[in-house]
Amino acid sequence: MSFFSYIFIGEIMKKILICLIFLFIFTPLTVKGFETSASAAILMDMDSGRILYSKQIHLRRSVASISKIMTAILAIESGNLETIITVGDEINDAYGSGIYIKKGEQIKLKDLLYGLMLRSGNDAALAIANYVGGNVDSFVNMMNEKAKQIGMKNSEFNNPSGLDEDEGNYSTAYDMAILTSYAMKNDIYQSIVSTKKHKVKTNLNYYEWTNKNKLLFTYNYLTGGKTGFTEIAKRTLVTTASKNDLNLVVVTLNDGNDFADHKSLYDEAFSVFSNYKILQSGSINIPGETYYKRDTLFLNNDFTYPFLDSELSQVTIKYSLNKLREYSDNQVVGKAEVYINKELVNTSEIYVTTNKNKEQKNIFEKILDWIKSLW
């Protein structure tokens, strides 16, 4: 059962503030503690960005081969995945884990991506960087520029693979969760990282690659990820999982028990969190609102958010509308803000569609609207 309490707050200077507070009767849940053995870790909802578990999430560390997530998304966004690449001299600098391609070998960029993400091929990383960026140094600049664009504020890339012997790649659990959330919006990336096995035939060889991400074979809800290891970084792991409309990412840095920790975090999150649709796209009716009564107010997007059942009584939606004397179709006229226990978690713009009969107002109605606009 539930009931609603409406709070109306008038405001001078042409604004209406209307608070709609949702109150629910609920049975409290006992939440078990999330734990990992990692130096740094994060469990985050990819859709809303809500952090469900954190441990030193802004600690800057070497991240090893999970760096290749950035290499992969840049290659995918280059848009030339069917191009056949002839492997060049750059391959001579490859060492460590590889797919063992050779100079002169001809292979599709898309297949190099499978070798990069399934087998963590450092040779594939160099071939991709050389093709997409023109050279490796230019590609590294692209990596750092992309990091800034998507909000990775504590990351530095120095190579496309994550190797530490020269200058390694440094990031945080939080930044890598941001990167993964961004990458998982791309269908091609999703398809590659969720692939268990991939076969490739080139002019020189035949390959059959099995994904190193063991959770893909043992955890039903897993949708992708990337493994990593260097002597400096130790074990690093990024995975994603989906269940009951929850799309989660886990990042662990320096975690000797990473596969088990990821599974444990997912199991706990799926057992205690549920996704609720707080705002729905389409027309909205704001109780007590009369200024735009001849028109239609609407939201462009749904807003869903993961909640513990015990948090539902803390949800508040506040509508704020600007009283505009002149406005046109699809113009922003306000915002809807969602709070949990007075903490802002989302802001959605409110739009207006003008109805034809708006122009049919009589002189009295027009004068009344003008007076209202002065409030």
Side-chain angles (χ1 to χ4, degrees), residues 269-320:
F270 289 140
S271 71
V272 298
F273 283 94
S274 298
N275 236 354
Y276 289 88
K277 185 181 291 185
I278 306 302
L279 297 175
Q280 184 166 329
S281 62
S283 62
I284 57 173
N285 294 313
I286 302 176
E289 200 290 304
T290 59
Y291 189 79
Y292 293 99
K293 66 181 180 180
R294 292 181 177 274
D295 305 305
T296 300
L297 299 173
F298 66 95
L299 301 172
N300 268 344
N301 300 299
D302 295 340
F303 173 65
T304 59
Y305 204 72
F307 289 96
L308 298 169
D309 284 354
S310 58
E311 294 177 313
L312 292 174
S313 62
Q314 304 170 21
V315 177
T316 304
I317 302 176
K318 181 183 292 184
Y319 295 100
S320 176

Side-chain angles (χ1 to χ4, degrees), residues 190-206:
Q190 285 185 38
S191 177
I192 291 172
V193 296
S194 63
T195 298
K196 295 178 179 178
K197 295 181 183 292
H198 185 70
K199 299 177 182 180
V200 181
K201 188 177 186 308
T202 72
N203 61 323
L204 297 181
N205 211 337
Y206 172 83

Side-chain angles (χ1 to χ4, degrees), residues 92-93 105 115 132 159 198 211 249 254 264 290 292 303 305 353:
N92 296 330
D93 295 326
E105 191 161 2
V132 175
N159 62 66
H198 185 70
N211 202 316
V249 56
N254 184 23
S264 176
T290 59
Y292 293 99
F303 173 65
Y305 204 72
T353 294

Side-chain angles (χ1 to χ4, degrees), residues 244-260:
N244 296 335
D245 295 326
L246 281 172
N247 301 305
L248 308 179
V249 56
V250 172
V251 181
T252 50
L253 306 180
N254 184 23
D255 186 352
N257 197 35
D258 49 11
F259 288 121

Side-chain angles (χ1 to χ4, degrees), residues 223-258:
T223 56
K226 181 71 189 73
T227 61
F229 175 82
T230 64
E231 288 295 333
I232 294 175
K234 306 305 179 185
R235 291 180 66 90
T236 62
L237 181 63
V238 175
T239 63
T240 58
S242 297
K243 181 184 179 184
N244 296 335
D245 295 326
L246 281 172
N247 301 305
L248 308 179
V249 56
V250 172
V251 181
T252 50
L253 306 180
N254 184 23
D255 186 352
N257 197 35
D258 49 11

Side-chain angles (χ1 to χ4, degrees), residues 324-341:
L324 304 179
R325 292 185 61 183
E326 300 291 336
Y327 50 90
S328 56
D329 279 344
N330 302 319
Q331 183 171 341
V332 175
V333 295
K335 59 186 178 181
E337 296 176 316
V338 179
Y339 293 83
I340 302 179
N341 195 21

